[in-house]
Amino acid sequence: MTYPEKTEDILHDNDLFDPEEDDDEKSLSGNDSSLHEHFRFTADRNQSLLRIDKFLIDRLTNTSRNRIQSAAEANCILVNGKAVKSNYRVKPMDIITIMMSRPRYESEIIPENIPLNIVYEDHELLVINKPAGLVVHPGHGNYQGTLVNGLAYYLKDDPLYDPEDQRVGLVHRIDKDTSGLLVIAKRPEAKTNLSLQFFNKTTQRRYIALVWGIPKEAEGRIEGNIGRDPRDRMIMTVFPGGEQGKQAVTHYRVLEKFGYVALVECRLETGRTHQIRTHMKYIGHPIFNDERYGGNVILKGVQSSGYKQFIHNCFLACPRQALHAKTLGFVHPASGKEMFFDSEIPDDMNLLIERWRKYYGAGNQPAADNLI
């Protein structure tokens, strides 16, 4: 008997079907080039007759018998090249394969019991308030301990949710060290609908950020194509000419001024990688303590040891970019109801804001001759 090197929780009852197609059936022969083999088992010569769902549950980890039965109903399980149902009895030397419409991933998504702050859930979707420090999706050395791993564990008993299926799961993303609201689709139809809302710019997303300096205008619109910086592929940059990158628009509004920094609200019109961080740096107001975009050094203020110690303490209080995805609004993909969520500013950012509020309120006003 042969076993796969890695087992995945990949059994999903819609995996054989392309959502763009109307056909109810596909060719189920092992030669169908649209299908991809994920697992292969060969029964022993002495194999006793055993239902295939029972046979597979002992050989696949991170799955359930219900999910295996759903896969059989979707014609994902083949024996000797032919689709079988879950009551098929495995015979000696049978070759059992599990076929999917997509290639197998290089690394499986392992369910992990990671605490999730779920603010809303129904049959179609979840809304989660993500803490700073949690990576949303495996990749770039973070293959475990991510939000997706936590979702795989939380939804492990849902036979219709496959963490490996790109047609469900994250609809949008926020950076590791950004906190705030995210919507997750539990069903392919929900993700298609929600993704279209994001594409058509009909969702409502507002962020709160502490930035260096005071913008000249109380409200403003930042527009500039965003793409990878050719000198540093780890960061994004603005291409004002519009010949490179993708269109990006951010609206900002100053909420409170603290002399050397400002609390601003940013509303996304588009959703590019690092959009707010890139756009605020572009207009000369990097996000406070944003290491990647230069906000983790003293950019405004007085040249005194006391002020430098104050900034150092601020960095310790909020040891990440001071950015929070505070609100999220969309139309529910099934009911058509307007959904709107608002989250509290997290403790580390609240502490940071309060320190600046007290510092500024104590009479520490900026002067033209003592700015760094």
Side-chain angles (χ1 to χ4, degrees):
M1 181 185 307
T2 59
Y3 292 85
E5 293 181 1
K6 294 182 179 180
T7 54
E8 299 170 276
D9 193 8
I10 47 73
L11 306 181
H12 187 284
D13 64 352
N14 288 323
D15 256 322
L16 277 178
F17 304 104
D18 186 329
E20 299 298 326
E21 295 184 0
D22 296 325
D23 296 338
D24 290 329
E25 297 181 359
K26 280 178 176 279
S27 167
L28 296 172
S29 71
N31 294 324
D32 185 349
S33 61
S34 65
L35 301 181
H36 302 270
E37 182 180 307
H38 281 233
F39 302 108
R40 175 181 291 260
F41 304 96
T42 302
D44 288 338
R45 294 183 182 277
N46 299 322
Q47 175 69 50
S48 60
L49 296 181
L50 181 67
R51 280 177 57 110
I52 197 165
D53 52 356
K54 292 184 177 180
F55 178 90
L56 289 173
I57 196 65
D58 292 332
R59 291 160 176 78
L60 294 172
T61 59
N62 301 324
T63 193
S64 66
R65 190 171 174 185
N66 283 341
R67 190 164 286 202
I68 290 172
Q69 291 171 346
S70 296
E73 288 301 313
N75 297 320
C76 293
I77 300 176
L78 279 59
V79 175
N80 304 323
K82 295 182 180 180
V84 298
K85 299 305 180 185
S86 56
N87 62 354
Y88 174 85
R89 293 185 179 275
V90 177
K91 301 176 180 61
M93 301 306 295
D94 273 351
I95 298 175
I96 299 101
T97 53
I98 299 177
M99 308 295 291
M100 295 288 163
S101 59
R102 52 174 170 73
R104 181 170 173 168
Y105 288 81
E106 290 184 1
S107 38
E108 61 180 315
I109 294 175
I110 300 172
E112 297 179 68
N113 189 6
I114 297 170
L116 301 176
N117 183 1
I118 299 171
V119 299
Y120 177 82
E121 180 179 11
D122 61 27
H123 183 263
E124 304 292 328
L125 57 88
L126 287 161
V127 176
I128 289 177
N129 190 8
K130 185 190 85 69
L134 179 62
V135 178
V136 297
H137 195 279
H140 303 293
N142 297 294
Y143 293 104
Q144 295 183 14
T146 74
L147 175 61
V148 168
N149 295 105
L151 287 169
Y153 181 87
Y154 179 76
L155 297 171
K156 65 182 184 301
D157 296 324
D158 184 342
L160 299 181
Y161 183 83
D162 177 3
E164 302 281 0
D165 187 352
Q166 296 184 22
R167 295 173 300 154
V168 295
L170 295 170
V171 179
H172 61 121
R173 304 183 186 188
I174 56 178
D175 300 330
K176 171 187 174 182
D177 289 324
T178 298
S179 55
L181 296 171
L182 283 167
V183 60
I184 290 93
K186 295 165 67 175
R187 306 291 179 257
E189 299 81 7
K191 185 169 184 179
T192 298
N193 183 291
L194 289 166
S195 296
L196 190 61
Q197 292 184 51
F198 277 85
F199 179 79
N200 290 330
K201 306 172 187 176
T202 59
T203 58
Q204 303 174 57
R205 288 178 289 167
R206 296 181 186 272
Y207 289 66
I208 298 295
L210 190 73
V211 301
W212 280 106
I214 311 297
K216 292 181 181 179
E217 303 293 333
E219 297 185 29
R221 181 178 189 270
I222 311 168
E223 183 170 8
N225 282 23
I226 289 178
R228 292 284 173 188
D229 189 323
R231 296 166 298 181
D232 184 352
R233 303 296 293 176
M234 295 298 293
I235 65 174
M236 309 300 284
T237 191
V238 172
F239 296 94
E243 296 179 357
Q244 294 177 260
K246 296 181 179 179
Q247 181 200 27
V249 178
T250 304
H251 302 266
Y252 76 85
R253 178 168 66 95
V254 177
L255 300 178
E256 199 169 351
K257 303 174 184 178
F258 305 122
Y260 305 119
V261 297
L263 188 66
V264 299
E265 176 190 81
C266 295
R267 178 172 63 85
L268 289 180
E269 187 174 313
T270 55
R272 308 303 178 199
T273 301
H274 298 178
Q275 179 171 318
I276 294 174
R277 300 165 69 186
T278 306
H279 268 170
M280 295 311 296
K281 179 183 179 181
Y282 175 63
I283 65 170
H285 299 286
I287 293 175
F288 191 84
N289 208 12
D290 188 347
E291 180 178 3
R292 187 164 290 184
Y293 288 88
N296 64 328
V297 296
I298 298 176
L299 298 178
K300 300 287 182 181
V302 296
Q303 297 196 42
S304 69
S305 59
Y307 177 73
K308 291 177 181 179
Q309 184 62 50
F310 168 74
I311 297 299
H312 175 72
N313 292 338
C314 285
F315 287 160
L316 292 178
C318 185
R320 49 103 174 188
Q321 66 253 17
L323 181 62
H324 175 67
K326 193 172 191 303
T327 69
L328 176 63
F330 54 86
V331 174
H332 194 281
S335 69
K337 179 182 176 182
E338 292 276 354
M339 308 289 287
F340 185 80
F341 302 92
D342 192 359
S343 61
E344 296 292 329
I345 296 174
D347 290 343
D348 59 351
M349 276 189 65
N350 262 330
L351 178 59
L352 176 64
I353 293 166
E354 282 303 312
R355 288 193 173 187
W356 273 105
R357 191 173 281 139
K358 290 179 181 178
Y359 181 84
Y360 184 61
N364 295 291
Q365 307 289 334
D369 59 351
N370 64 1
L371 292 178
I372 292 177

